Amino acid sequence: MTARKGKKLAGKVGFAALLLVFMVFILLPIYWCLVTSFKPSAEITSKEVTYWPKIFTFVNYAEAWTRSGFSTYFKNSLFIAVFGVVFIVVLSVLTGYALDRFKFKGKNVFMLILLCTQFIPGAMLITPIFIIFKNLNMLNSLFALVLVNTTFHFPFNSILMRGFVGGIDYTIEEAAQIDGCSRLGAIRHVLLPVLKPGIATIAAYGFISCWNEFLFSFMFISKQAKLTLPVGLKNLVGEFSINYGQLAAGAVIAVVPTLILFSYVQKNLVGGLSSGAVKG
Amino acid sequence: MRTKIKAGKKDWMPYLFLAPAAFFILAFLAYPLATVFFYSLQSYDVTKIADKGFVGLENFKDLFQDDIFFRSLRVSAKWVLVEVISQLVLGMILALLLDKKFKGRGLYRCIVFFPWAISGVLTSMLWSLIYNENIGLLNSLLKDLGILSNNMAWLGNMKTVFKATAVAEIWRGIPFFAITILAALQNIPADLHEACVVDGATGFQEIFLVKLPMLKDTIILTTLLRAVWEFNNVDLIFTLTGGGPSYRTTTLTMYMTNMSIKNGNYGYGSALAVIAFFVLLLFAGIYLKLSGYGKEDA
């Protein structure tokens, strides 16, 4: 009996130890970035590396926000993400609805195409898309980035949305139509309110994806006033003497909105994926 | 079975709903993809604009004499294998841990899934602060533990750069597998666990003989999908190492990106993209076959 108890205890200790190792591995980079962002630059570059700031300062944040232009980058990223979300949500509701509620010719082919878009890397299409927007005179336009982000992120979200729409019984729309609503009216007044949690999830995914987009912003935008956060951060590294304090502060500024949104969606992430995002 | 709207007078309606989606796909995916094939047969180099024009398969001929191209294929293969295997194994362990019931599970889940939401660029910023030769956490920790005596430039050293970059991406990739496998684990009925207890199966037996076989489909599909994404990965490598030093981290996708962004050689870059396209087509074919996609009403 005691051997069995011992085994159980060993199992518990092993479990806790393993979980601890994962937590440390995941949190260490985030911790180090936070700590660095609150150190004065003399402490960051001193030979004695400190694991906790000796002097606690907000100077890096203030300088990143004002002098290094992170307030502008933040605004630009916000613009791209907000408009990207609007486009992505509208497209995925339309596409998801059509793919779940209608029976029509070419439906499976369309599903297949949506799925295949997940295999195409942005890096492959950078040059041709660059040329398209150059011809449209839309380089240095944040709206061009909205269009590109929408293209790369609505297909996955449409497949998700198809699942959300499928989870709602069609009879409620039918009832509204019998009561004299048009098809579109039924969608607007009956389906959309019930679909809110699904829409919120997709909006959060879309926001995170657009907020994080780097390659196209890097390629399309050359004007300082139009840069986005990821590109602004990257440019900070390109300078001759890197200001690590500002880099860390900038990284924290860029990551906070995504982590807040992520905490909000992560609960239904597990549920949403199990109901068929990976496998239609 | 849900009622589906029958085709009739309004059978144009679904196409109307899909029109915007079709527009985006045609304008910004299909058309650009077609031009990649077109440019791959052209000489199109911004530094030698006078030579612009049709050259047939010249770009591909050059490709087969390009050592860096072959090296990038090997780096790509190594990168995809190392990433997918490590992420899968670690993600699975994490999922099994988080599937147990314990206090504060929700909070732990939220924290260990964080990297999922962090972009490649930000990941590389976080890890460059760790790997930095002078101010980095890694050198300092290893010196304090007595493992290292001199500071290392982890990203500047040819021997360590691949491993260092790989660890940063593994960090970002673990949550993907942990989340999807956890989702699949929760679909396993609870009475199966009870049956295991009744039959006297040990925890390991339950995991390896009962749970893993049930996760087979999920694991195969997520692994394939992740392999494609890792093959396509550029954000992190581009910002962390730029493909260097001496092409140690130049994957095929990275080489393609540098050719377009840094060198401005669109023709040659497009030829590389065509090769990448066929590699991806192979992946996609296997994925679609295994997932049973495209079958009647999948």
Side-chain angles (χ1 to χ4, degrees), chain B residues 101-147:
Chain B
K101 285 201 175 70
F102 58 93
K103 232 183 175 177
R105 181 170 73 165
L107 185 68
Y108 278 100
R109 274 190 189 175
C110 186
I111 290 172
V112 291
F113 292 164
F114 268 169
W116 184 87
I118 296 179
S119 67
V121 178
L122 273 170
T123 305
S124 86
M125 296 301 147
L126 295 180
W127 284 87
S128 65
L129 289 173
I130 293 208
Y131 290 139
N132 188 284
E133 186 177 359
N134 301 310
I135 68 142
L137 179 67
L138 187 60
N139 279 329
S140 160
L141 274 179
L142 291 179
K143 274 199 302 195
D144 285 353
L145 292 170
I147 297 171

Side-chain angles (χ1 to χ4, degrees), chain A residues 32 51 100 105 183 244 278 280, chain B residues 5 15 132 140 144 287 293:
Chain A
W32 188 240
Y51 297 116
D100 182 78
K105 239 192 185 160
R183 153 68 58 62
Y244 292 104
V278 174
Chain B
I5 296 149
Y15 301 107
N132 188 284
S140 160
D144 285 353
Y287 179 90
Y293 240 103

Side-chain angles (χ1 to χ4, degrees), chain B residues 153-230:
Chain B
W154 299 94
L155 296 171
N157 187 319
M158 293 212 291
K159 285 202 182 103
T160 54
V161 66
F162 185 88
K163 284 177 204 137
T165 312
V167 168
E169 178 61 20
I170 289 169
W171 178 82
R172 193 162 76 106
I174 291 174
F176 169 75
F177 281 104
I179 292 169
T180 46
I181 293 174
L182 186 60
L185 276 172
Q186 304 206 318
N187 281 346
I188 296 178
D191 35 334
L192 215 61
H193 169 70
E194 282 151 31
C196 287
V197 174
V198 171
D199 290 345
T202 66
F204 281 106
Q205 280 173 332
E206 186 182 335
I207 289 171
F208 284 104
L209 299 177
V210 179
K211 284 187 176 165
L212 287 190
M214 293 192 75
L215 296 180
K216 205 180 91 197
D217 285 350
T218 308
I219 291 174
I220 291 173
L221 292 182
T222 47
T223 302
L224 269 168
L225 208 55
R226 193 70 195 177
V228 169
W229 290 342
E230 288 302 349

Side-chain angles (χ1 to χ4, degrees), chain B residues 53-72:
Chain B
F54 182 77
V55 290
L57 295 174
E58 208 57 41
N59 285 324
F60 292 94
K61 261 191 213 152
D62 291 348
L63 230 143
F64 284 102
Q65 276 150 26
D66 183 353
D67 279 343
I68 303 166
F69 164 66
F70 286 108
R71 211 196 282 186
S72 75

